[in-house]
Amino acid sequence: MTSTVDATEHALPPSPERPASWAALRPLVLRLHFYAGILIAPFLLVAATTGLLYAASFPIEQVVYQHELTAPASQTTLPLSRQVEAARAAHPAGAITAVRPAAEPGQTTRVLMDQPGLAESTQLAVFVDPHTGQVRGTLESYGSSGALPVRAWISHLHRHLHLGEPGRIYSELAASWLWVVALGGLALWITRRRRSRRHLLVPDRAARGPRRTLSWHGSVGLWAVLGLLFLSATGLTWSKYAGENVDELRAALNWTTPSISTSGGDHAAHTAREGHAAHAGADDVGVDRVAQAAAGKGLSGPLEIVWPGDPGEPYLVKEIDKTAPTHLDQVAVDATTGRVTAELRFADYPLAAKLTRWGIDGHMGLLFGLANQILLAVLAIGLITLIVLGYRMWWRRRPTRSFGKPYPRGGWRQVHWAQLAALGLLAVTVGVFLPLMGISLAAFLVIDGLLGLRARIAG
């Protein structure tokens, strides 16, 4: 793509005085915002569109799988062990890894099993009526959130477009640049001259043509900027390359999520999820005693009871209510005595670990339930609107049209050397921490240089 940025090349006239810092930096920010908007926006558009679909996947899941997720309420409830046995009888080849008891009247109990042939991080979920023991259905369950097939399909679409690990590059590229585009746009918008301060927050309805488009672009971006920064930061935690650097930084700063202190208990929870058969010895106290022990320590539903991964290891009982206020306490229960051998309270998490947990759950639409999902949908629509308006402005600025003064090349010459050095160091640091951003930024510079060379040759 080309634009009037490259169609009307000219060197900046020499100036005996250095302009103010922002006046010197503004042309650089304009060009960066322009190139990132043009070249990265397609990735952002895909991420926003699939993210909008993901926000809607929660109510879709409830409707599509209503039969499996719900059961007629009753005054009597079978012991949890009876419900588990009903699931085992229906699928004797499956190895039970965990059970999620019905948290409220009208819900079913979910018994999770490992079974050959399932994809990574996927288990078989058997839905049992807690009142009658009837198996109401069997579905694949993905990840710690227990996403069922429809939501899991949409989640994979948003994460990697069903292309596996190579597909994750698109989402990482989008997350890496989103904060740059958002902050650059914010700086450009709030420092822009305008007739009224009111039009900083709301579009200028009196404006016409391209300036009206710009007014809408800036106002929508201002309202959305905090949400976009949040999505960018939390999205990077799942990325392939930047995510590894985030994990290393969290470990170095001791921001990692603590593990329950017990010999093998926490390991058992993880190995059970990784496909190892769950074990329950002959002297096992049973899931009913385990649930009672957890209740005695104050744990309440929704719960997940994870089976021992190997003989001699304890059960792990976890609160899995990620909506605010968060309930994520854990206890380890000895399989032979039924005693609680270790506890981990969410209240004891370091603040950084809590913020990380809340950030991830907010990105996933879990933290505030339906309100969270609506907010994610609004942000996705806002980002889509910004991209459409941005391309509309570019189309009006293309070489065959005119809309204001072109973004000049060579603005860096007006920036003080100390500022340039600081910017260069910042770009290298960020580029190393966010590798895909660093590579794409280098590509932008090469493209910009080649376009400038072409313009000089043509001139």
Side-chain angles (χ1 to χ4, degrees):
M1 292 181 178
T2 59
S3 73
T4 49
V5 174
D6 310 300
T8 311
E9 298 294 334
H10 59 277
L12 293 177
S15 173
E17 296 183 359
R18 292 279 182 182
S21 296
W22 175 244
L25 287 173
R26 184 180 175 86
L28 292 179
V29 177
L30 274 169
R31 291 190 71 81
L32 181 62
H33 190 71
F34 168 77
Y35 275 118
I38 291 294
L39 301 177
I40 300 297
F43 299 96
L44 290 172
L45 183 61
V46 174
T49 304
T50 57
L52 176 61
L53 187 59
Y54 180 76
S57 69
F58 290 89
I60 291 174
E61 181 178 74
Q62 294 296 316
V63 172
V64 173
Y65 304 115
Q66 182 180 17
H67 178 76
E68 289 84 359
L69 293 170
T70 61
S74 174
Q75 297 294 326
T76 60
T77 300
L78 295 176
L80 191 56
S81 56
R82 291 269 303 276
Q83 301 175 47
V84 172
E85 286 305 317
R88 193 195 306 272
H91 296 275
I96 296 177
T97 58
V99 58
R100 296 185 176 185
E104 297 178 0
Q107 294 183 351
T108 53
T109 292
R110 186 181 305 198
V111 180
L112 299 173
M113 297 181 174
D114 274 340
Q115 189 157 297
L118 295 179
E120 183 181 1
S121 300
T122 301
Q123 298 180 89
L124 193 68
V126 183
F127 297 88
V128 181
D129 186 327
H131 311 296
T132 65
Q134 175 192 5
V135 173
R136 293 183 62 84
T138 304
L139 297 167
E140 292 184 3
S141 175
Y142 173 77
S144 61
S145 69
L148 300 179
V150 168
R151 182 156 64 92
W153 188 92
I154 295 174
S155 175
H156 291 316
L157 180 69
H158 179 60
R159 187 182 184 190
H160 52 58
L161 304 178
H162 292 281
L163 298 176
E165 287 299 309
R168 294 177 64 185
I169 293 175
Y170 112 85
S171 56
E172 181 170 349
L173 195 60
S176 297
W177 275 99
L178 180 56
W179 66 276
V180 178
V181 176
L183 288 178
L186 175 66
L188 293 170
W189 182 245
I190 63 177
T191 58
R192 182 179 176 82
R193 294 178 181 178
R194 52 181 52 83
R195 291 176 297 179
S196 171
R197 291 184 179 179
R198 177 175 177 271
H199 296 144
L200 176 70
L201 300 174
V202 296
D204 184 359
R205 295 179 179 274
R208 294 291 179 267
R211 298 191 182 281
R212 183 181 180 89
T213 304
L214 175 61
S215 181
W216 276 94
H217 182 81
S219 298
V220 172
L222 181 66
W223 284 100
V225 65
L226 288 180
L228 298 181
L229 293 176
F230 169 80
L231 292 178
S232 176
T234 53
L236 286 172
T237 62
W238 282 296
S239 61
K240 181 175 177 61
Y241 302 106
E244 294 176 356
N245 292 332
V246 170
D247 290 341
E248 291 177 2
L249 177 63
R250 289 179 60 199
L253 298 176
N254 198 26
W255 288 358
T256 55
T257 301
S259 299
I260 191 165
S261 178
T262 177
S263 57
D266 193 55
H267 174 71
H270 287 84
T271 53
R273 291 194 176 280
E274 292 171 0
H276 295 265
H279 294 270
D283 54 352
D284 191 282
V285 297
V287 68
D288 295 322
R289 284 273 303 277
V290 171
Q292 291 171 4
K297 291 296 183 178
L299 270 67
S300 59
L303 295 175
E304 179 174 280
I305 303 173
V306 182
W307 258 236
D310 290 302
E313 291 186 338
Y315 285 87
L316 183 66
V317 185
K318 305 184 294 182
E319 291 181 329
I320 55 173
D321 185 4
K322 296 180 179 180
T323 58
T326 305
H327 296 94
L328 294 173
D329 294 345
Q330 304 178 32
V331 297
V333 181
D334 190 282
T336 58
T337 66
R339 292 187 301 104
V340 172
T341 58
E343 301 179 37
L344 176 61
R345 303 292 176 177
F346 185 72
D348 296 331
Y349 279 30
L351 178 59
K354 290 180 180 178
L355 293 175
T356 299
R357 180 73 268 164
W358 290 329
I360 291 173
D361 293 338
H363 191 113
M364 294 181 66
L366 300 171
L367 187 59
F368 302 111
L370 180 60
N372 196 162
Q373 295 148 27
I374 292 174
L375 179 59
L376 289 177
V378 170
L379 279 174
I381 293 171
L383 181 54
I384 292 170
T385 301
L386 288 170
I387 294 169
V388 171
L389 293 175
Y391 273 116
R392 179 174 174 81
M393 286 190 293
W394 168 80
W395 185 250
R396 289 179 175 273
R397 294 189 73 115
R398 70 192 192 277
T400 58
R401 302 287 294 273
S402 178
F403 167 32
K405 186 178 180 180
Y407 309 133
R409 175 177 276 108
W412 61 271
R413 299 188 185 95
Q414 298 299 308
V415 181
H416 193 276
W417 67 267
Q419 291 178 314
L420 281 178
L423 288 174
L425 179 61
L426 177 63
V428 171
T429 302
V430 172
V432 171
F433 191 76
L434 308 177
L436 291 186
M437 180 182 173
I439 295 171
S440 54
L441 177 59
F444 290 171
L445 295 176
V446 171
I447 292 172
D448 194 46
L450 291 176
L451 291 175
L453 179 63
R454 186 188 70 172
R456 286 195 294 273
I457 294 174

